[in-house]
Amino acid sequence: MTTEGSVFGVLVRLVWNRAERRPTAPVRVVTGLVLVVVVAVAVQLGFGVVLSAVESAVADRLGVFVVYAGLGGGTLVAAVAVDRRTVADLGFGVDRDWWLDLAFGLALGAGLMSGVFLVALGAAWIRVTGTFVADASGGFGVNFLFLVALFVAVGVVEELLLRGWLLTNLAEGFDGVWTVGRRGAVVLAVALSSAVFGGLHATNPNATLASTVGITLAGVLLASGYVLTDELAIPVGIHVTWNLFQGGVYGFPVSGLDLGVRVVAVAERGPDLFTGGRFGPEAGLLGVGAVVLGTGLVALYVRLRTGGLRLDTGVTTPDLR
């Protein structure tokens, strides 16, 4: 009886955190991922009927936003229903400092990609072939505005899913392992969530091992802004303008994709080792250099704004409903 009771107790502890009145981290992650997929599919099916009655070109564009709405909605459902979190605990504790951090992130993403462009141009690895180019119908202005809206959606939803939800659950789970400790838990969570981020881009057009490693390192840059502040403002800002300036302003491929609209059209003629070739800068040393520099600048900014530099304890301390 005692043995059976203790075995049962161990099994319960593996799946249920009695103190927090919610599932343990591994169960939360698995259950949450299932919920994200279910909600995302349901949203796409629900809007599919509406989009089928719309012109195909418009439907394709709206369909992208439907996908991200489903992923974002699914993440929120998982966070609230399974994790018992507040929205603030996902990195959206919006206040004056949050907006200041967002402005810094937006400026940093734009600045880093501008640096990549200027170095490549100065080294004659690219040449400018035109300006204000739009391949699709509707003209440059309409297509560029679509791109801005798209990258805002991408930045918010991907950071919510991969940093605000996944990294946080991983950090909380690893923190419960006494041999790891809080600092080690955060480091492991950053590494694993960044590897997932890189893996999700591994099937993109023109992807290579180098591009997957580069995207993984970019995940570390994005995660640094989160784990140092416990807010998603900096990573959201970087994510939005990195992509926008990469593809929409300077005409580089964005994770292997040609988006068809750019302020400056360029032709690559330099070594792929540095430029990243047809995948884009993340697959080359220029992109890696920008990621390393960006991570250092994030740390410097946080230190100057807060007067210190440390992993924020909020990442491993849940704010539950």
Side-chain angles (χ1 to χ4, degrees), residues 28-294:
R28 294 199 304 272
V29 169
V30 173
T31 307
L33 288 175
V34 172
L35 271 176
V36 169
V37 172
V38 169
V39 172
V41 171
V43 169
Q44 289 183 61
L45 291 175
F47 279 91
V49 177
V50 177
L51 294 179
S52 64
V54 180
E55 182 185 351
S56 60
V58 176
D60 289 342
R61 293 194 167 188
L62 292 178
V64 177
F65 291 102
V66 170
V67 170
Y68 277 97
L71 291 174
T75 303
L76 290 174
V77 169
V80 173
V82 180
D83 297 1
R84 294 185 56 242
R85 295 188 192 283
T86 63
V87 174
D89 198 43
L90 293 167
F92 287 102
V94 179
D95 55 15
R96 178 178 175 275
D97 288 339
W98 196 96
W99 290 111
L100 288 174
D101 289 351
L102 177 66
F104 167 76
L106 291 169
L108 181 59
L112 290 173
M113 195 48 60
S114 296
V116 168
F117 172 78
L118 291 173
V119 171
L121 188 64
W125 291 336
I126 57 173
R127 64 182 178 87
V128 176
T129 61
T131 55
F132 300 101
V133 176
D135 298 336
S137 61
F140 174 82
V142 171
N143 284 283
F144 190 80
L145 287 175
F146 163 77
L147 212 58
V148 172
L150 172 63
F151 286 137
V152 169
V154 170
V156 171
V157 173
E158 291 190 5
E159 292 310 308
L160 171 65
L161 174 60
L162 292 164
R163 255 65 66 175
W165 178 76
L166 179 61
L167 189 156
T168 301
N169 270 311
L170 292 173
E172 291 171 356
F174 287 130
D175 190 36
V177 181
W178 68 270
T179 56
V180 174
R182 176 165 292 172
R183 185 186 298 270
V186 174
V187 170
L188 285 173
V190 168
L192 188 53
S193 61
S194 298
V196 171
F197 185 56
L200 289 174
H201 292 77
T203 57
N204 281 27
N206 307 307
T208 63
L209 177 60
S211 70
T212 301
V213 172
I215 294 291
T216 299
L217 292 175
V220 175
L221 162 63
L222 296 167
S224 68
Y226 177 53
V227 300
L228 292 174
T229 65
D230 192 32
E231 298 292 353
L232 287 178
I234 293 176
V236 165
I238 295 173
H239 204 146
V240 170
T241 51
W242 175 286
N243 283 343
L244 179 62
F245 275 69
Q246 182 177 20
V249 176
Y250 297 123
F252 295 119
V254 179
S255 301
L257 301 171
D258 179 2
L259 300 172
V261 56
R262 51 268 193 197
V263 174
V264 179
V266 299
E268 182 211 343
R269 56 184 182 183
D272 289 354
L273 175 65
F274 288 93
T275 67
R278 293 193 298 171
F279 186 86
E282 296 99 337
L285 293 179
L286 282 180
V288 171
V291 164
V292 173
L293 175 61

